[in-house]
């Protein structure tokens, strides 16, 4: 129900030729930030099992799609779509609850990704 984290960072490489009075910049290595998902806790244990495998050294990488729905919330029509590749769970936070507000239990999953592309 909540998502955060489509970002890319590109290193800057400065260089200077012998006659230049100032350095020039060019792009270097680029990296994508981690994707962060939050949702209400459900009985399905597949997310917990995925991160548990990673903790045991069995890294299962997965590709996925993030579809952002329009205002009409038609699940068959997304306004924006991002695809992510070679993701694995690097952080899980579970059972966040505010008992005074009557809210539901929330779990959060953070995925390390190799690449993100807008479809």
């Amino acid at each position: 129900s909540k998502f955060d984290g489509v970002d890319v960072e590109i290193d800057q490489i400065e260089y200077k030729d012998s006659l230049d009075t100032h350095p020039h910049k060019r792009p270097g290595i680029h990296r994508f930030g981690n994707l962060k998902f939050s949702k209400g806790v459900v009985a399905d244990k597949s997310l917990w099992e995925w991160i548990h495998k990673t903790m045991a050294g069995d890294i299962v990488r997965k590709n996925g799609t993030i579809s952002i729905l329009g205002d009409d919330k038609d699940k068959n029509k997304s306004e924006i779509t991002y695809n992510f590749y070679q993701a694995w769970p690097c952080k899980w936070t579970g059972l966040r609850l505010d008992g005074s507000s009557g809210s539901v239990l929330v779990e959060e999953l953070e995925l390390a990704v190799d690449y993100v592309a807008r479809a």
Side-chain angles (χ1 to χ4, degrees), residues 13-74:
I13 298 172
E14 290 190 4
Y15 67 96
K16 185 175 173 267
D17 291 329
S18 61
L19 298 177
D20 288 339
T21 58
H22 62 281
H24 300 279
K25 295 180 183 178
R26 66 181 190 136
I29 294 173
H30 64 275
R31 61 187 61 79
F32 294 91
N34 293 343
L35 305 177
K36 300 168 191 157
F37 301 91
S38 299
K39 69 174 190 64
V41 174
V42 294
D44 184 356
K45 296 191 288 184
S46 58
L47 290 179
W48 173 252
E49 290 168 355
W50 188 24
I51 199 160
H52 194 264
K53 281 184 179 181
T54 303
M55 290 188 297
D58 181 15
I59 301 170
V60 178
R61 293 176 178 258
K62 298 184 179 190
N63 300 334
T65 299
I66 301 161
S67 296
I68 300 169
L69 303 178
D71 290 336
D72 59 1
K73 297 189 176 35
D74 180 1

